[in-house]
Amino acid sequence: MYRIAYVDGRYLPHARAKVSVEDRGYQFADGVYEVCEVKDGKLVDERRHLARLERSLRELRIAEPMSYAALGVVMRETVRRNRVTDGIVYLQVTRGAAPRDFQFPVAPTRPTVVVTARNSDIARLDKLAEDGVAVVTVPDIRWQRVDIKSVSLLPNVLAKQAAREQGAREAWLVDKNGFVTEGASSNAWIVNREGKLLTRALGTGILPGITRSVLLDLIADQGIKFEERAFTVEEAYAAREAFVTSASQTVMPVVRIDGRPVGNGAPGLVATGLRREYRRYAAIS
Ligand code: PMP
């Protein structure tokens, strides 16, 4: 399909949508991004995504390229021009283009803004959720500020590729103490032997997932037994259920970890229930 991207104030066909070779996103991965779900042509949890974007920019001292209201308008317009009904909108902000030098540019530099959008194959995602997906564990070799949603994703790229090569959809990253941090592009959850739902607590070790935060509201409302704490790979192998969360797939049941079946090897009741209920808690605007 003919696709349109927003690049620095203009909506362009993808073939003509380009940034400078000296863009610091390209040179140094000096930028941040957001992926927001689109449902019925509307943005899901826009406010929380823009709040996280604001924090990522502040942590890296990248200037705000425009008001958050204006960014919302650009995201919606990109969704509209690409005729996205159910899919994602991608927003990236880098420190901008400047002669290559490690330090921040001294001369005033405009951040580069790129927005793209595309439909997802919803039928395929629903089928995956019905069957459940496989994950493999790999060492977490990322930097120590993965709470910032930066475009520096090389370890995630390698982890996802390793997963694919082993027939899995996602990689779970494992810290040096044997605890799962999160997925390469998702947050990781289990229902343990005692029937308690677990996901790692926030901090600098994981990305504060928006889907994760919405799910926490749902869980509190439903009175599900829950604890925010790290779990080991061994605990995950022994879990009754496992699943991952992210804006592009909401709640996705996990049925195999490193080739071992989770529980009875089928999506669990908790994961399936949370996937079904999720929509009611997401803010759509
Ligand atoms: N962790 C990582 C490393 C991710 O890349 C993502 C998805 N961008 C998530 C967690 C899930 O975050 P969200 O629910 O905001 O999509």
Side-chain angles (χ1 to χ4, degrees), residues 135-137 172-174 178-181 188-194 196 198-199 229-244 254-265:
V135 304
V136 293
T137 59
W172 276 10
L173 312 178
V174 180
F179 290 90
V180 174
T181 53
W189 308 66
I190 60 168
V191 178
N192 73 3
R193 270 263 172 71
E194 289 72 48
K196 192 185 253 186
L198 302 177
T199 197
R229 72 155 170 88
F231 54 85
T232 63
V233 174
E234 296 306 322
E235 279 181 286
Y237 288 159
R240 286 187 193 171
E241 291 189 34
F243 61 92
V244 292
V254 170
V255 293
R256 294 185 86 75
I257 303 173
D258 292 335
R260 304 160 193 236
V262 177
N264 64 4

Side-chain angles (χ1 to χ4, degrees), residues 68-97:
Y68 290 95
L71 278 176
V73 169
V74 171
M75 287 198 288
R76 277 190 184 75
E77 184 60 15
T78 308
V79 164
R80 193 185 68 76
R81 288 186 188 230
N82 286 282
R83 298 194 187 89
V84 176
T85 48
D86 298 302
I88 54 154
V89 56
Y90 175 89
L91 163 69
Q92 178 172 324
V93 182
T94 75
R95 203 181 303 276

Side-chain angles (χ1 to χ4, degrees), residues 140 142-149 182 204-208:
D140 190 342
R142 300 175 301 165
W143 73 321
Q144 292 174 23
R145 287 304 308 276
V146 296
D147 56 310
I148 300 169
K149 198 164 171 60
E182 61 182 330
T204 51
I206 65 168
L207 183 81

